[in-house]
Amino acid sequence: MNAESAAPARRRLSRAEAKARTRSLLLDAAARVFARKGFTGASVEEIAEAAGFSIGALYSNFGSKEALFLELLADRHTDRIAEAAQALERHPSGTGEAAAELSRLLIAVADKDTDFAPLQAEFWLYAVRNPEVLDTMAANQRAPRHALEQVISTSLTRHDAPADVSAEAVATVVAALFGGLVRQRRIDPASVPEELFGDALRWLFTGIRTGAAAPSDTDDTA
Amino acid sequence: MNAESAAPARRRLSRAEAKARTRSLLLDAAARVFARKGFTGASVEEIAEAAGFSIGALYSNFGSKEALFLELLADRHTDRIAEAAQALERHPSGTGEAAAELSRLLIAVADKDTDFAPLQAEFWLYAVRNPEVLDTMAANQRAPRHALEQVISTSLTRHDAPADVSAEAVATVVAALFGGLVRQRRIDPASVPEELFGDALRWLFTGIRTGAAAPSDTDDTA
DNA sequence: GCTTTGACATAGCGATCCCTATCTGAATAG
DNA sequence: CTATTCAGATAGGGATCGCTATGTCAAAGC
């Protein structure tokens, strides 16, 4: 039984390990508190207490309240769009099953992960009000958006979509629709039923396949 | 030259008129400051000063900072969706001109009225965190959404859309897409070019017209 | 024209905020 | 075992906050 070489199994935590754990717990707590109270509304005392530590522990790990928030914004941007891309890849059929699964994902995000959308809104507001982090936000979107774009790209070519439809544009539309519907469901759940996102995606992709991008020519593919 | 009978032209303001004017100026200033600093981040002193009055004037017109914010949320909800519906009604052609006009509206809202989206986000966050105003928010959406729904409904029937496609669902999708794209353009303008919203609407409506709603049967249409 | 009213200004109170200076005790080094 | 280091706890300072008590002066009532 190997017990000490590779895995840091159950040993008493070393100094560095304990500090890393504290840091991580503080970040988790900060995500919750920032989501529920907002950046300015959340107090560092509340965050530290929610993590089970003192204010001193927080300032021993982060330079300021703003630095803590920016760290969250920079590398805890677990974009649900990436999960959407994965869900799409699991269902290669393209239209039927995939749309239903994405609908389910949207409902789960809106109803279960209640902290996600508010925290995302806080990030967005902070970025709009502090343009120096706009690039950070755009960079965080890049990876998940690229994954979604890839899935959409293969789907478009497989269905002989018109060549002038860019996968990037479609990915932007899908992501914007996702976020917009999640927010709307929090305000009026009845207006965003379970299948709405899937229906919208089906409408969107059949419309693209039919070729409705260029208003000038009226083609009719083979 | 008529000067005094009907229009309250330039006369010295009566007590009630002056108070109403002060109230209105305070609300305008509050909208700007709340949009730029957030609800908790904005101070009543800053709002009063932005309106050209003192703190006392603010508390003489509103019971508290929260009451001022709630008044904004309740009846200054000038939803841009209503303008979208009007734009759609002006262009009865249904697909071509209307989509382009809506694209222009989206760009104008995102780039020119820079306070609109942040204030809307503040309203949404406040409603999510204070469920007692969720109904107020839903009620504010009702009127503009209904207008959009009407326009969409006539468009659907005129184009012989499948009967199982509800105008309400389409209106929700269009509104969510609008809000999502406005936000995305603030983060990365290049990802939301001028025509994207119009393109998406064309895709959406041609997809609906083609009839892609029924989810149950194995697809692969004709 | 005098009195009353009320819109708005001013000053300040209590609470809370972010942050820092200082201390403590356990993990490391020798 | 002793000395050192440092993660984390504690206490408090300086600033700002929302809000109120009080004052002032012009419009409204007689």
Side-chain angles (χ1 to χ4, degrees), chain A:
Chain A
M1 297 172 261
N2 54 356
E4 59 160 13
S5 63
R10 198 67 56 85
R11 209 180 70 254
R12 185 126 71 135
L13 280 68
S14 85
R15 191 102 74 134
E17 288 169 331
K19 173 148 183 150
R21 199 185 82 103
T22 300
R23 228 183 112 88
S24 176
L25 288 174
L26 281 169
L27 281 169
D28 290 342
R32 290 198 303 272
V33 178
F34 280 138
R36 289 169 204 188
K37 302 290 190 73
F39 173 64
T40 48
S43 73
V44 291
E45 183 183 14
E46 190 175 3
I47 294 174
E49 195 170 346
F53 296 96
S54 69
I55 301 178
L58 191 151
Y59 278 96
S60 171
N61 281 277
F62 304 94
S64 67
K65 178 188 177 184
E66 195 172 19
L68 170 56
F69 183 79
L70 288 177
E71 182 120 347
L72 268 183
L73 186 147
D75 51 66
R76 290 272 178 123
H77 194 89
T78 63
D79 208 321
R80 299 303 198 117
I81 294 296
E83 301 181 26
Q86 292 172 13
L88 272 172
E89 268 178 333
R90 269 198 302 276
H91 298 279
S93 65
T95 48
E97 282 281 329
E101 169 121 5
L102 288 187
S103 269
R104 256 172 276 140
L105 175 64
L106 185 139
I107 301 299
V109 169
D111 296 357
K112 299 293 195 308
D113 190 358
T114 51
D115 286 342
F116 173 76
L119 186 58
Q120 212 69 18
E122 287 292 330
F123 286 161
W124 182 84
L125 279 169
Y126 189 92
V128 167
R129 290 166 183 159
N130 304 82
E132 67 269 17
V133 303
L134 272 179
D135 289 348
T136 305
M137 278 228 84
N140 288 348
Q141 291 188 343
R142 213 148 284 158
R145 279 290 262 285
H146 189 68
L148 178 63
E149 191 180 324
Q150 290 296 89
V151 178
I152 288 175
S153 178
T154 64
S155 173
L156 289 184
T157 57
R158 178 170 29 197
H159 288 72
D160 307 313
D164 61 337
V165 176
S166 86
E168 186 197 354
V170 179
T172 299
V173 167
V174 170
L177 185 58
F178 182 86
L181 286 179
V182 167
R183 282 189 296 269
Q184 174 63 20
R185 184 167 168 92
R186 291 294 290 271
I187 292 176
D188 184 7
S191 68
V192 186
E194 284 225 14
E195 346 74 41
L196 184 57
F197 188 44
D199 288 345
L201 290 179
R202 273 186 289 264
W203 297 332
L204 206 63
F205 279 87
T206 49
I208 292 173
R209 226 180 311 163
T210 314
S216 57
D217 56 343
T218 55
D219 59 315
D220 221 295
T221 67

